[in-house]
Amino acid sequence: MKLDSDKHNQTPIAVSVLVVDDEPGMCSFLNKALKKKFALVETAGSIEEAEELRKRCHFDLLIVDIKLPGRSGMEWSEAMEQTKRSSDIIFMTAFADLETVIKALRAGASDFILKPFRLEQMMNAVERCLERRAMARTNFVLQRDVEKAFPITNMMGNSPSIRQVQEVIHRVAPTPSAVMIEGESGTGKELAARMLHQFSNRNGAFVPINCGAISPELLEAELFGHTKGSFTGALKAREGLFSFANGGTLFLDEVGEMPLLMQAKLLRALEEKAVRPVGSEQEISIDVRIIAATNRQLKDEVASGRFREDLYYRLNVLSITLPPLRDRREDIPELIHHFSNTLSLELGLAAIPFSHDDLNEMQHYHWPGNIRELKNLIERCILLGKLPAEYFREQNDNNSKTAGNFAGWTMDAVEKQHILLTLEQHNSNKSSAARALGVSRKTLDRKLTSWATEEQVATEYETAI
């Protein structure tokens, strides 16, 4: 963004600037010069006065003297870094050494100017800051253009159940209402969420998070952000996913896995439309559309006390249930053709030619892993160069040998085989497999850990002898 020095061009640029200096003469000098270029220029003689102005108005650029009565400009900048600061800052001082410059840059300074300075020096520093801001906006726009050039395609299939889902998505996408997407693992819940965002015309980003994949201790910081030193390992302040999704959509996948304490904090954030980073006393306003997804029956979770009823109704303004693949078998040929073409291009290998036997085998299969399992099967067939029907026959033979004949097996061996087969059917999703087995996730983890330890001990013993 080039600052035009032509006197005939007096149209102010839509930029807000705050000058903080305890010298009235410096404030007056910069105020007079900057008002010729910018739409809003304010001055303050202390950090306290500057904070009051910042509470009332956002400033794109802060020009701050380091040495101020009471609180220094550098301390103020460091405090702002603890929260969410979207302003550039230029420090100015009459007393500077290399250590001061380094501290200023670490405190988040965009530029550093020594007093006394010429007006041209200050305007050049301002110009560099504005150019960086313009470049950041350009990169954001380019990223959005790329997303539009490669949009999320509609859900594949023309079965009545999937067409109904498509119609609901197109109808509710432009609204700000929260949506709950339900369905088994692998049915395409994130794809449905991305479609809702794409057709919503919201300007912000689509930000997904798997609530079951993050430890309960870190989930709050991941969603709301945190300040520097707020917990062990928080070496610097960090924005949360709510802030990244501001103006866009936050997708809470596997929301049923969220701990009860975190559910209460999420409910408050949704009700107040504001989040408070961990370790901070300041709230940040948010404009986020919430889409949640779960493969659990949340009504049952509410009844059992594992999920808050008030949060359930806050998230479940509208429910979309995705059908399992076995209930939309007529869509399987179209899905096979789509995955075969796209995956062969990605892998650089020839697509698999499908015969009538292939389609027949695949349409009569139960598909416990749904669309994800179908896609994985197509990819394996392309990699191995095997027809799907041939692969199915081999799998059926192997399963009949291992799962159907347990003569001579110990009870522990049968249990291990059953658990491993269930894990494979659920594409190694431990939470989903644990629910299918009727055990807790901790029980499943304990079993897997014990088997891994046994195998390690056996390997070490064989190596030793």
Side-chain angles (χ1 to χ4, degrees):
M1 184 183 293
K2 190 73 174 175
L3 297 177
D4 194 347
S5 59
D6 187 354
K7 293 182 180 180
H8 296 291
N9 184 8
Q10 297 295 329
T11 304
I13 300 172
V15 170
S16 54
V17 184
L18 174 60
V19 178
V20 188
D21 198 307
D22 61 333
E23 298 179 27
M26 178 60 71
C27 286
S28 177
F29 168 66
L30 290 177
N31 183 44
K32 184 178 179 181
L34 296 170
K35 273 191 173 179
K36 296 177 182 179
K37 302 292 182 182
F38 305 117
L40 175 65
V41 179
E42 295 282 358
T43 60
S46 66
I47 296 301
E48 291 72 23
E49 187 180 347
E51 264 302 306
E52 289 300 316
L53 288 170
R54 278 188 72 243
K55 289 178 182 177
R56 298 199 300 266
C57 176
H58 166 77
F59 292 96
D60 300 303
L61 177 62
L62 307 174
I63 302 176
V64 185
D65 188 25
I66 289 181
K67 191 174 178 61
L68 290 167
R71 199 174 178 190
S72 74
M74 204 174 297
E75 290 173 341
W76 186 43
S77 175
E78 289 173 346
M80 285 188 287
E81 282 292 312
Q82 304 294 318
T83 58
K84 180 184 177 182
R85 192 194 79 195
S86 56
S87 310
D88 287 307
I89 185 166
I90 297 175
F91 280 128
M92 45 186 184
T93 184
F95 312 95
D97 52 25
L98 181 59
E99 183 180 356
T100 303
V101 174
I102 292 173
K103 284 183 178 179
L105 293 174
R106 285 178 176 172
S110 302
D111 216 324
F112 190 93
I113 290 185
L114 285 174
K115 293 180 178 179
F117 54 81
R118 299 188 308 275
L119 179 60
E120 181 183 2
Q121 289 177 281
M122 175 60 74
M123 299 310 284
N124 286 338
V126 171
E127 180 180 331
R128 287 192 293 270
C129 287
L130 296 182
E131 284 178 347
R132 281 194 293 269
R133 290 180 71 86
M135 187 176 296
R137 290 193 187 100
T138 300
N139 289 340
F140 176 78
V141 171
L142 288 173
Q143 182 180 354
R144 298 292 295 168
D145 287 344
V146 169
E147 291 174 358
K148 291 178 181 178
F150 301 96
I152 301 298
T153 57
N154 210 337
M155 283 188 167
M156 306 296 296
N158 289 294
S159 61
S161 58
I162 208 65
R163 283 167 60 185
Q164 184 179 3
V165 169
Q166 294 168 357
E167 290 172 5
V168 173
I169 287 175
H170 283 276
R171 181 178 178 83
V172 305
T175 71
S177 301
V179 177
M180 177 73 74
I181 304 175
E182 298 177 305
E184 296 178 8
S185 179
T187 50
K189 293 188 288 293
E190 182 168 342
L191 173 61
R194 288 182 180 275
M195 286 177 61
L196 282 164
H197 174 71
Q198 181 188 350
F199 300 130
S200 70
N201 296 319
R202 293 181 68 83
N203 294 323
F206 175 86
V207 179
I209 176 174
N210 188 321
C211 300
I214 299 175
S215 67
E217 297 78 15
L218 297 178
L219 186 56
E220 182 181 0
E222 191 73 16
L223 286 172
F224 301 155
H226 61 79
T227 61
K228 180 180 178 181
S230 56
F231 55 87
T232 304
L235 302 180
K236 62 179 181 179
R238 180 183 175 187
E239 291 184 334
L241 297 184
F242 265 97
S243 295
F244 286 114
N246 202 21
T249 301
L250 181 63
F251 176 50
L252 302 173
D253 196 10
E254 301 299 345
V255 71
E257 306 284 344
M258 185 177 288
L260 277 169
L261 180 60
M262 189 62 225
Q263 292 176 29
K265 294 179 180 180
L266 173 62
L267 178 64
R268 184 182 182 280
L270 299 181
E271 295 290 350
E272 300 292 331
K273 296 185 178 179
V275 297
R276 180 180 297 172
V278 177
S280 173
E281 296 181 358
Q282 183 179 0
E283 288 194 335
I284 301 172
S285 297
I286 52 165
D287 171 25
V288 174
R289 200 257 185 94
I290 298 294
I291 300 175
T294 179
N295 55 20
R296 293 190 180 190
Q297 292 294 327
L298 281 191
K299 285 186 178 180
D300 295 339
E301 298 295 303
V302 170
S304 64
R306 290 190 294 268
F307 200 85
R308 291 180 64 102
E309 185 176 22
D310 44 8
L311 179 59
Y312 171 73
Y313 287 115
R314 182 66 179 79
L315 295 174
N316 194 24
V317 176
L318 177 81
S319 177
I320 297 176
T321 302
L322 297 184
L325 188 55
R326 60 185 173 275
D327 290 346
R328 45 180 295 213
R329 297 180 188 274
E330 58 267 56
D331 293 333
I332 290 178
E334 183 179 351
L335 289 166
I336 292 172
H337 179 75
H338 169 72
F339 287 136
S340 179
N341 288 338
T342 55
L343 290 171
S344 61
L345 288 173
E346 290 178 12
L347 299 171
L349 297 171
I352 297 293
F354 297 105
S355 66
H356 175 75
D357 288 342
D358 294 319
L359 297 177
N360 187 55
E361 286 273 2
M362 299 177 85
Q363 282 188 291
H364 285 83
Y365 179 61
H366 186 63
W367 297 111
N370 293 294
I371 297 174
R372 185 184 294 122
E373 184 183 3
L374 172 64
K375 181 181 179 181
N376 290 347
L377 172 63
I378 301 279
E379 184 170 357
R380 285 197 294 271
C381 288
I382 292 174
L383 289 170
L384 298 174
K386 291 184 177 180
L387 292 171
E390 179 185 351
Y391 184 86
F392 266 107
R393 282 192 292 272
E394 290 180 2
Q395 290 295 101
N396 289 336
D397 290 342
N398 291 335
N399 288 340
S400 64
K401 290 175 183 177
T402 57
N405 181 13
F406 296 117
W409 288 42
T410 65
M411 184 65 73
D412 288 341
V414 172
E415 179 191 52
K416 180 177 180 180
Q417 182 66 18
H418 177 58
I419 289 175
L420 293 177
L421 283 173
T422 303
L423 261 175
E424 183 179 351
Q425 289 177 342
H426 288 264
N427 297 289
S428 300
N429 185 320
K430 293 181 182 178
S431 297
S432 179
R435 285 191 290 275
L437 291 164
V439 299
S440 68
R441 168 71 184 267
K442 288 184 178 179
T443 299
L444 180 59
D445 284 335
R446 188 168 60 251
K447 292 281 186 184
L448 296 173
T449 302
S450 67
W451 294 332
T453 303
E454 289 172 3
E455 290 177 3
Q456 182 179 358
V457 171
T459 301
E460 290 174 355
Y461 176 76
E462 289 176 0
T463 304
I465 62 174

